[in-house]
Amino acid sequence: MDTELLGKGVLVTGGAGGIGSALVRAFAGEGAKVAVHYHRSQEKAAALAREVGGTSVRADLTVEADVDALVPAAVKDLGRLDVLVCNTGVWPAPDEPVWQMSLERWRRTLAENLDSVFLSCRAFLRHVATTGTGNIVIISSTAGLFGEAGHTDYAAAKGALTSGFVKSLKNELHRIAPLGRVNVVCPGWTAVDRHRDKLDDPKFVGRVTRTMPLRKVGQPEDVARVVVTLASDRISGHVTGEVVTVAGGMEGRVLHEG
């Protein structure tokens, strides 16, 4: 099916990462012009941009001035900007229950996973206000749906995106873009580099997939295809404010004995 994304401008935050690079390639495969955002991964972002014929743009998404400059830079390089994919997120590795968690970590995690999305969406919507059209897809996490012990900070940030943020934004967006849409995608366990050592262990995979009827680990491309579908006005033009889980049917309960 023709997604009608040919020639559209797409900005992918965190575009040089595991899911991010799959997103960039998926949009480029549909003929879109893609801006690969990065913070520290300049070489990876530049290489990926060259590969897909796009551009790379830098910003620290927790710094207001950086984000405010990001969208104009993407528009300048691409010539237009129609879609924002908020993919950037940071999962703090240490397992810390609430009673041991510092306020500094809590605030940092919320800044990296929630403030960053607010600032990115705000910058993009200021552009949308001048064009009257635009579409946002936000990458959240199953942690925001089911919680994650030892990472309450991360789960709280992701949970905010899947509930109050997207539900409110969908009802504001029509004020500046009558057909503008915003949706959220929640990946579960996905085979990205930061999980590589764990996912090479069959026992670990067996344990984490006990809550999933489709007992396998997702691939970045699984997430990317869903995001492209939601970004397409032709395919998903009547879908907004929704949360789509890409996690093999994951539930908050054990479905398999072992």
Side-chain angles (χ1 to χ4, degrees):
M1 179 181 290
D2 181 8
T3 61
E4 295 185 352
L5 289 167
L6 179 65
K8 295 288 183 72
V10 180
L11 170 60
V12 179
T13 68
I19 292 177
S21 59
L23 290 166
V24 169
R25 291 186 176 103
F27 277 106
E30 296 299 320
K33 300 181 289 185
V34 188
V36 184
H37 158 264
Y38 70 94
H39 180 198
R40 297 184 180 90
S41 304
Q42 180 178 6
E43 292 184 5
K44 289 176 64 176
L48 181 58
R50 287 194 298 271
E51 175 190 326
V52 301
T55 188
S56 58
V57 285
R58 183 199 173 278
D60 180 340
L61 298 187
T62 66
V63 176
E64 186 175 19
D66 274 20
V67 186
D68 286 346
L70 177 63
V71 168
V75 173
K76 179 181 178 182
D77 289 352
L78 300 179
R80 61 184 294 172
L81 189 58
D82 307 275
V83 178
L84 168 68
V85 182
C86 294
N87 171 66
T88 298
V90 179
W91 183 78
D95 184 309
E96 295 181 359
V98 166
W99 57 91
Q100 294 178 349
M101 189 176 295
S102 68
L103 181 59
E104 189 277 332
R105 165 169 158 165
W106 173 269
R107 287 176 170 168
R108 182 178 68 250
T109 301
L110 263 64
E112 292 170 336
N113 294 283
L114 185 55
D115 293 359
S116 62
V117 174
F118 159 69
L119 290 172
S120 297
C121 288
R122 189 183 70 174
F124 177 67
L125 292 172
R126 287 172 174 172
H127 170 70
V128 169
T130 70
T131 64
T133 183
N135 186 3
I136 300 171
V137 184
I138 298 168
I139 307 300
S140 180
S141 167
T142 51
L145 301 175
F146 304 118
E148 186 171 337
H151 296 88
T152 304
D153 49 349
Y154 180 78
K158 293 300 188 179
L161 296 174
T162 63
S163 54
F165 189 80
V166 69
K167 299 302 183 184
S168 299
L169 188 53
K170 76 175 175 65
N171 291 331
E172 295 178 350
L173 187 49
H174 73 91
R175 299 178 188 177
I176 55 174
L179 298 180
R181 300 180 297 108
V182 54
N183 293 284
V184 173
V185 173
C186 289
W189 282 99
T190 307
V192 295
D193 287 344
R194 76 167 183 263
H195 298 318
R196 192 68 60 190
D197 57 335
K198 298 176 182 177
L199 298 180
D200 285 339
D201 179 357
K203 291 183 179 179
F204 180 85
V205 173
R207 187 164 69 251
V208 300
T209 58
R210 290 180 70 196
T211 63
M212 299 159 54
L214 300 184
R215 204 162 188 188
K216 60 187 178 68
V217 173
Q219 299 298 314
E221 291 75 17
D222 293 323
V223 180
R225 283 188 285 266
V226 173
V227 172
V228 166
T229 297
L230 289 172
S232 166
D233 288 331
R234 182 179 185 189
I235 299 173
S236 302
H238 204 50
V239 179
T240 191
E242 297 299 329
V243 178
V244 180
T245 306
V246 185
M250 180 187 290
E251 295 189 15
R253 64 193 177 108
V254 171
L255 298 174
H256 303 279
E257 292 300 322

